[in-house]
Amino acid sequence: MLLLAGGTLGYVAIEGWSLLDSVYMTVITITTVGFREVGELSPAGKLFTSGLILVGVGALAVAARNTFEALLARRVIYHRRMQMEIKRIDGHVVVCGYGRMGSTVCDDLAARGCRVVVVERDEERCRRLQERNMLHVQGDATDDATLAAAGLERATALAAVLRDDAANLFVTLTARTMNPGLAIVARASAEKSESKMLAAGATRVLNPYRNGGRLLVRQLLHPSVTEFFDVINSGQDPDLHLEEVTVAAGSSLAEVTLRDAPIRQELDIIVVGVRRPEGELLFNPSPDLAPRAGDVLIVLGRTENLAELEKAAMGPAVHGQ
């Protein structure tokens, strides 16, 4: 603005041009676009124009550099702040891959209140993650350092939903080595990859094509049942959830029959099944069943009631914290 004002006043004083002609001449001179001059320049005008070109080009170069440095510094500050936030969180879910499946996984996890850290190497997808203010690490998910930067050692679960089965297999193997207690769900497009991923340490392996086909058949044959589960899974009824609750040692629910426990009568929660620590799954358990410490109750109920059940399932020491 100072250059524009100085150049305009200079041409008015030296050449006696009008204000509009002086502004026009200053703009085409500073920007070096090479348009025709307003009029014939005097020797003093030529010297003034030469100086204006040198100063103008230099000022534009400085302005461009400062703008670039400001944008770069903003990006660096953003990534540093995001890295610090990732270092502070634990108990989160690491999602490797932000494609069509990965983005859906992230949205559903976020809707359920889970903290998510995405690992993605594609720059355009990382830009979308930044616009959504989602925690992410840009890099190769098969690299140990990238998974460590995502806080894998402090995470509770990992979803390997990369497009390539070999990459998901390598991520599974690396993640299991870095965090032996991690729950890992991996995507496999080929059936022959499923057994390899399970052997590499995956907790569950999902084939989207086979699972999608089974869902389509259920929708054709049992639309009401499918609709019921869609209501639960899609959040159409945000207060109704199908959850799992682990009975801790010393819990008020341990060694108490389901009939005598406050689960059904007081909390209006349905116990759909019980999974024993050794892996046995009891469907529609008898009211006389007494859950043991370590049992996982698969329950259906309202949000606030489920929260009360989780408190009751905790041991006294954990509940006191």
Side-chain angles (χ1 to χ4, degrees), residues 204 242-245 271-286 289 292 294-299:
R204 293 284 186 276
L242 186 65
E243 300 287 353
E244 59 180 56
V245 176
V271 179
V272 180
V274 177
R275 180 175 291 279
R276 297 293 192 181
E278 58 272 15
E280 181 185 9
L281 178 61
L282 305 176
F283 171 72
N284 190 22
S286 167
L289 176 72
R292 305 191 300 255
D295 284 354
V296 177
L297 307 181
I298 303 172
V299 293

Side-chain angles (χ1 to χ4, degrees), residues 302-313:
R302 300 289 177 183
T303 303
E304 61 180 33
N305 296 341
L306 290 172
E308 290 298 323
L309 180 62
E310 289 181 357
K311 292 179 182 179

Side-chain angles (χ1 to χ4, degrees), residues 6 13 31 61 65 81 134 159 209 217 227 244 265 276 306:
T31 56
R65 186 196 65 185
R81 186 173 67 248
M134 294 183 65
Y209 303 107
V217 171
E227 183 180 357
E244 59 180 56
Q265 292 80 3
R276 297 293 192 181
L306 290 172

